[in-house]
Amino acid sequence: MQRNPGARPRPVTIKDVAAEADVSLQTVSRVINDGPNVRPAIKERVLKAIEKLGYVPSLAARRMAGKKSYLLLALNDRDRTIEDWRSGDGTDWVDQMLLGGMLKCAEHGYRMIFELVDTHSSNVERELTSALGALHPDGVILTPPHGDNPTITNLLNERRIPFARIGSTRKGAGFGIAMDDATAAAAATAELARLGHRRIGFITGSLEYALSTDRREGYQRAVRAAGIEDDPRLIAQGDFTFESGEAATRELLSLPNPPTAILASSGHMSLAALEVAKSMGFRVPDDLSIISFDDTPIVKFSAPPLTAIRQPIAEMTARAAELLIKVNIGEPGPTKTQIVPFSLIVRSSTGPLKG
Amino acid sequence: MQRNPGARPRPVTIKDVAAEADVSLQTVSRVINDGPNVRPAIKERVLKAIEKLGYVPSLAARRMAGKKSYLLLALNDRDRTIEDWRSGDGTDWVDQMLLGGMLKCAEHGYRMIFELVDTHSSNVERELTSALGALHPDGVILTPPHGDNPTITNLLNERRIPFARIGSTRKGAGFGIAMDDATAAAAATAELARLGHRRIGFITGSLEYALSTDRREGYQRAVRAAGIEDDPRLIAQGDFTFESGEAATRELLSLPNPPTAILASSGHMSLAALEVAKSMGFRVPDDLSIISFDDTPIVKFSAPPLTAIRQPIAEMTARAAELLIKVNIGEPGPTKTQIVPFSLIVRSSTGPLKG
DNA sequence: CTGAAAGCGCTAACAG
DNA sequence: CTGTTAGCGCTTTCAG
C-alpha cells in the first residue's frame, strides 16, 4: 500500500545509504570512490545498502564537492555539423564519434557531452568559456579542425584542462590522435597496382587541409614504389564536394589515355566519379576501378558498393576518452601523437585490369 | 604581465559578480533567473558585471540548490543504435534527433544529454534509475519504441518527471509526438496515381510495428480514393531490411501484370527495389517509379535519387524539448498527441506512366 | 524592492 | 581504519 499517495519519491542520497549501513557518510564516499582504508566487511555492508536502496551518486554534487565532474566535453564545429545534419549528406562523423566516445566514457563511469561551437566566429572564446563554465568538464575532445585552433588550445591550456586533438598531428598542448593519411592513400594505390592497374587517377581534397597533401603524397609514393606511370595529368583537383568530384572525374576520363582506376579523397567525390563514369559509358569495375577515401554509409549502398578506406573515427574518439580519463586519475598523458590504424574495405568497385 | 604564473585561473562565480556590481548574491541570482523585483538600474549594473567577468552559472550548483537541472535526457535503444552505428547503415535518426533537440535546448539555456538504455533486458529499470539519479534531468525524451514501454513510462510517471513519447500515439502518461503515417502513405500513393499509375505496389514493414499497419491502411485508402486497381497481390510483406525488400520486389515484378510503381516502407527496402528493378531490366523511373518511406542519406545519393517521404524527426524532437521546457516553467503540458507534418520530397525515381 | 541565512549532496582535510 | 568538520556555487526561504 502506498504510504504517501501522490508523493514524489525522495531521491536516495548518500545519507540514506550511511544510515542503512550504519556507517558515516565518509565511509560510503570512500566505498563509491574506491578509496583506501575500508575494511572488507564494512565495504560489503555499504555495497549491500547501496544495492538495496538503488543509490546512485549525484553528478552535480560530486562535481560541487570534489575536483572531478565525470564529464568529458566533445566539441564539434557548429556550422558544418548542422549543415551536414540539415542536408542529410551521409556523413556519419558524429555517430562514429558518439559510438567510440560515449561507450568508452560509460565504461569508466564518465559521461560524454556533445557540444557545438562556432569556430570561425570571434565568439569561439566566449562560447567555449561558457561551456566550460557551465559544465566544468574533466577533459575536452577537439575534432578537426578545432585541434589546430590556437584560440581554443591556448584557452584550454591556460585553464589546465586536459584535451585531445583528433586529426591533428602538430605538436603542442594537449595530445594529438590521428590516422596516417599518407600511408592510407599509399595502401589504396598499392591495392590498385596489385590488381594490375598502371594508370591510376587521384582526386585531391581541398589543399587548405593538411591531410589532402598527405594523401596526395602517399599516392605519389605508392605510384613510384610500384614503378608505374607517374603522370601529373592523373592528379585532378577537388574540394571534397560531389560537384568537384564530377568535374575532376570528367577531366580524368577525358584524357587521351584515361586512367583505369581512380582514388578519390572523399565519399562524395567517389560517388561523383561513379556516376560520371557510368554516364560516360565506363563500367565499374570492368572499365574503371574506384576507391573512396571515407567509408560513409552512402558509399556502401551505392551500386556497386565502393571499396573504401575506413577512417577509425570511433577508435580515435574512444582512445581520446580513455587517455583523458587516465590523465584525470593522475597518470601521465601521452607524449607523442597517437596514430590509429585505418583499414581498407574491399567491395565491388575494384577489380583486376581488363584487357 | 602574468601576475600569478602557472596558476590555474579561478573560475568566476556569482560572488565575483556580486562584488563587482556591488550587490548581494541574491540580486545576481534574480537577474540570471529573470526574477521579479530588480530595479532596471541594478539589473543593468549586474548584467554589465556578468559581461565583464564572463560569468556563466555552474549547472551543477544550480541543480544542487534549486529544483531545476537545465538538463533534458534523450533516451535511445542501446542495441539498435549501436548496431546502426557499427554497421554504418545510413540511418540518421540520431543526427536528426540531435539537430532538433540540441538546438532547441540551447535556445532556452538547456542542455540535451543523450543516453542509451537497453530496452529489452530486465535492466531497463536499473539503467534508467541510474541515469535519473546521476543527472536529475528536468525532462526525458523517449524515442521509439521506448514510448510504449510501460516499465519506463510508469517509472517516469511515479517520479513525476515530465516526458515526451516520440512516435507514440497511445494515450497515457507523458505526451505523444508523432507523424501521421497513414496520411503520409496515402499522400505518396496519391502522388503516384496523379502521375497516371494504376497498378501501385506496396511493400510493408514488420507488422509488429503499429506504424506498418497505419502505412498500409493509408496506401489502401488512397488506392480506393483514386479509383484504381485494388489488387491484394500488389501488397508484399517486408520487414524494413534490404533483403526483405529484394524478395518483395522480385515477387511484385514477377507478377503477370507487374506494378508500374512501388511504395516501400523503408529506405533500405526502397534501395533494394531499385536494384532488383534494374537487374530485372526495368528502368527507373521510365518503367517503374519508386517512392521511399524514409528520407535517409542513402536514398538521396542513389542513382537515381529517390523520391521519399521525409519523417520530421528533428521537428518532433525539437517540439518535445520545447514542450518539456514549458512544462518545467509551470505551463501545462499538451493534452493530446502532437502530430507533426511529414513532407514528400520529389526526386528522380518517380515519373509519369509511360505508354 | 533587496539582503541575510540556511542548506542541496557530496568530498577534502583533518582528527581520532 | 573510521568519523567529524567545513565548505563547493547556487537557490530558497524569510526578513528587512
Side-chain angles (χ1 to χ4, degrees):
Chain A
M1 197 202 279
Q2 183 95 17
R3 200 172 296 252
N4 198 347
R8 181 184 201 135
R10 197 178 51 77
V12 11
T13 75
I14 196 171
K15 269 188 189 162
D16 304 314
V17 178
E20 173 76 25
D22 199 33
V23 293
S24 71
L25 292 189
Q26 198 39 237
T27 303
V28 179
S29 176
R30 283 190 185 106
V31 171
I32 50 187
N33 292 300
D34 247 336
N37 300 343
V38 185
R39 252 183 313 176
I42 301 245
K43 181 168 183 176
E44 184 67 20
R45 218 162 72 207
V46 171
L47 252 17
K48 204 157 286 171
I50 289 178
E51 174 69 20
K52 176 177 173 192
L53 267 31
Y55 167 72
V56 184
S58 155
L59 266 193
R62 294 183 101 175
R63 132 87 187 101
M64 284 295 293
K67 322 188 193 316
K68 290 198 280 190
S69 66
Y70 298 91
L71 253 31
L72 253 35
L73 185 59
L75 247 41
N76 274 54
D77 185 56
R78 177 183 291 127
D79 291 344
R80 187 168 46 77
T81 303
I82 292 180
E83 179 49 31
D84 285 352
W85 285 342
R86 285 243 159 82
S87 65
D89 81 340
T91 296
D92 61 347
W93 228 101
V94 171
D95 302 71
Q96 294 304 312
M97 164 150 198
L98 292 175
L99 173 57
M102 283 187 54
L103 300 189
K104 182 57 77 183
C105 279
E107 275 177 32
H108 297 271
Y110 274 68
R111 229 127 205 146
M112 187 169 93
I113 299 205
F114 180 77
E115 289 256 330
L116 303 175
V117 303
D118 192 347
T119 325
H120 305 295
S121 90
S122 52
N123 303 324
V124 211
E125 190 154 354
R126 208 178 44 67
E127 292 192 357
L128 181 53
T129 303
S130 145
L132 297 179
L135 268 12
H136 299 274
D138 289 342
V140 175
I141 299 177
L142 263 21
T143 63
H146 291 164
D148 294 324
N149 182 328
T151 308
I152 297 180
T153 56
N154 287 339
L155 184 57
L156 257 15
N157 198 32
E158 270 168 23
R159 305 211 175 189
R160 304 277 186 283
I161 300 175
F163 62 98
R165 294 176 277 112
I166 290 187
S168 168
T169 50
R170 299 194 196 169
K171 283 198 199 312
F175 47 89
I177 300 182
M179 68 175 274
D180 186 341
D181 278 278
T183 302
T189 308
E191 165 71 5
L192 260 6
R194 193 187 63 72
L195 288 167
H197 297 279
R198 312 221 27 101
R199 287 186 63 75
I200 301 173
F202 180 74
I203 305 179
T204 71
S206 312
L207 291 187
E208 32 180 329
Y209 284 68
L211 58 82
S212 293
T213 318
D214 293 346
R215 292 176 187 178
R216 194 192 51 208
E217 284 169 3
Y219 156 80
Q220 289 174 312
R221 189 209 303 161
V223 162
R224 294 193 198 105
I228 59 182
E229 290 187 68
D230 186 9
D231 183 344
R233 285 174 307 176
L234 289 175
I235 298 182
Q237 175 71 38
D239 64 5
F240 297 126
T241 65
F242 190 89
E243 292 69 28
S244 76
E246 290 179 309
T249 306
R250 219 176 294 281
E251 180 186 329
L252 254 19
L253 295 184
S254 304
L255 248 28
N257 189 4
T260 61
I262 288 180
L263 170 59
S265 297
S266 82
H268 285 146
M269 296 197 297
S270 304
L271 243 25
L274 176 60
E275 296 224 346
V276 168
K278 282 183 185 171
S279 76
M280 289 176 72
F282 289 80
R283 286 164 308 162
V284 176
D286 289 349
D287 304 322
L288 182 74
S289 283
I290 296 177
I291 296 187
S292 164
F293 216 114
D294 266 0
D295 191 35
T296 48
I298 51 175
V299 312
K300 299 178 197 177
F301 285 95
S302 61
L306 305 186
T307 293
I309 289 164
R310 181 175 163 285
Q311 303 190 52
I313 298 165
E315 291 85 343
M316 292 192 292
T317 315
R319 181 80 72 89
E322 185 163 36
L323 290 169
L324 252 13
I325 292 171
K326 274 197 176 154
V327 168
N328 258 280
I329 52 179
E331 295 186 30
T335 54
K336 53 178 193 173
T337 301
Q338 307 279 300
I339 298 297
V340 181
F342 60 89
S343 44
L344 180 68
I345 317 283
V346 177
R347 299 206 181 84
S348 327
S349 67
T350 44
L353 179 62
K354 289 290 164 66
Chain B
M1 196 201 279
Q2 183 96 15
R3 202 173 295 255
N4 198 348
R8 182 186 201 133
R10 198 178 51 77
V12 10
T13 74
I14 196 171
K15 270 188 190 161
D16 304 313
V17 178
E20 174 74 27
D22 198 33
V23 293
S24 70
L25 294 190
Q26 314 12 308
T27 304
V28 179
S29 177
R30 282 183 188 111
V31 171
I32 48 189
N33 292 301
D34 248 336
N37 299 344
V38 184
R39 253 180 314 176
I42 301 241
K43 182 168 181 176
E44 184 67 19
R45 217 163 72 207
V46 172
L47 253 16
K48 204 158 286 171
I50 289 178
E51 175 68 22
K52 176 177 173 193
L53 267 33
Y55 166 73
V56 185
S58 154
L59 267 193
R62 294 182 101 174
R63 133 89 187 98
M64 284 294 292
K67 321 187 191 317
K68 290 198 280 188
S69 65
Y70 298 92
L71 251 33
L72 253 35
L73 186 59
L75 246 43
N76 275 53
D77 185 55
R78 178 183 291 128
D79 291 344
R80 186 169 44 78
T81 303
I82 292 179
E83 179 49 31
D84 285 352
W85 284 342
R86 285 244 160 81
S87 65
D89 80 339
T91 296
D92 61 346
W93 228 101
V94 171
D95 301 71
Q96 294 303 314
M97 165 150 197
L98 292 174
L99 172 59
M102 285 188 51
L103 299 190
K104 181 57 76 183
C105 280
E107 273 176 33
H108 296 270
Y110 274 66
R111 229 126 204 148
M112 187 169 92
I113 298 204
F114 180 78
E115 289 257 330
L116 303 175
V117 303
D118 191 348
T119 326
H120 306 296
S121 90
S122 52
N123 303 324
V124 211
E125 190 154 354
R126 209 179 42 67
E127 291 192 357
L128 182 53
T129 303
S130 145
L132 296 178
L135 267 11
H136 298 274
D138 289 342
V140 176
I141 299 176
L142 263 22
T143 63
H146 291 165
D148 295 323
N149 182 328
T151 308
I152 297 181
T153 56
N154 287 340
L155 183 57
L156 256 15
N157 198 32
E158 271 167 24
R159 304 212 175 190
R160 304 275 185 286
I161 299 175
F163 62 99
R165 295 175 277 111
I166 290 185
S168 167
T169 51
R170 298 195 196 168
K171 283 197 198 313
F175 47 88
I177 300 182
M179 68 176 273
D180 186 341
D181 278 277
T183 302
T189 308
E191 164 72 5
L192 260 7
R194 193 187 63 74
L195 289 167
H197 296 279
R198 312 223 26 102
R199 288 186 63 76
I200 301 174
F202 180 73
I203 304 179
T204 72
S206 312
L207 291 187
E208 33 180 327
Y209 284 69
L211 58 82
S212 293
T213 318
D214 294 345
R215 292 177 187 178
R216 193 191 52 208
E217 285 170 2
Y219 155 81
Q220 289 174 311
R221 189 209 303 163
V223 162
R224 292 191 201 108
I228 59 182
E229 290 187 69
D230 186 9
D231 184 343
R233 286 174 306 176
L234 289 176
I235 298 182
Q237 176 71 37
D239 63 5
F240 298 125
T241 65
F242 190 89
E243 292 70 27
S244 76
E246 290 180 309
T249 305
R250 220 178 294 281
E251 180 186 329
L252 255 17
L253 296 183
S254 303
L255 249 26
N257 189 3
T260 60
I262 288 180
L263 170 59
S265 298
S266 82
H268 286 146
M269 296 198 297
S270 305
L271 244 25
L274 176 61
E275 296 224 347
V276 168
K278 281 184 187 170
S279 74
M280 290 176 71
F282 289 80
R283 287 164 307 163
V284 175
D286 289 350
D287 303 323
L288 181 74
S289 284
I290 296 177
I291 295 187
S292 164
F293 216 115
D294 266 0
D295 191 34
T296 48
I298 51 176
V299 312
K300 298 177 198 179
F301 285 96
S302 61
L306 304 186
T307 293
I309 289 165
R310 183 177 162 282
Q311 302 191 52
I313 299 165
E315 290 85 342
M316 292 192 292
T317 316
R319 182 79 73 89
E322 186 162 36
L323 290 169
L324 288 173
I325 293 171
K326 274 198 176 154
V327 169
N328 259 280
I329 52 179
E331 297 187 27
T335 54
K336 53 178 194 171
T337 302
Q338 307 279 300
I339 298 298
V340 182
F342 61 89
S343 45
L344 179 68
I345 317 283
V346 177
R347 298 205 181 83
S348 326
S349 67
T350 44
L353 178 62
K354 289 290 164 66

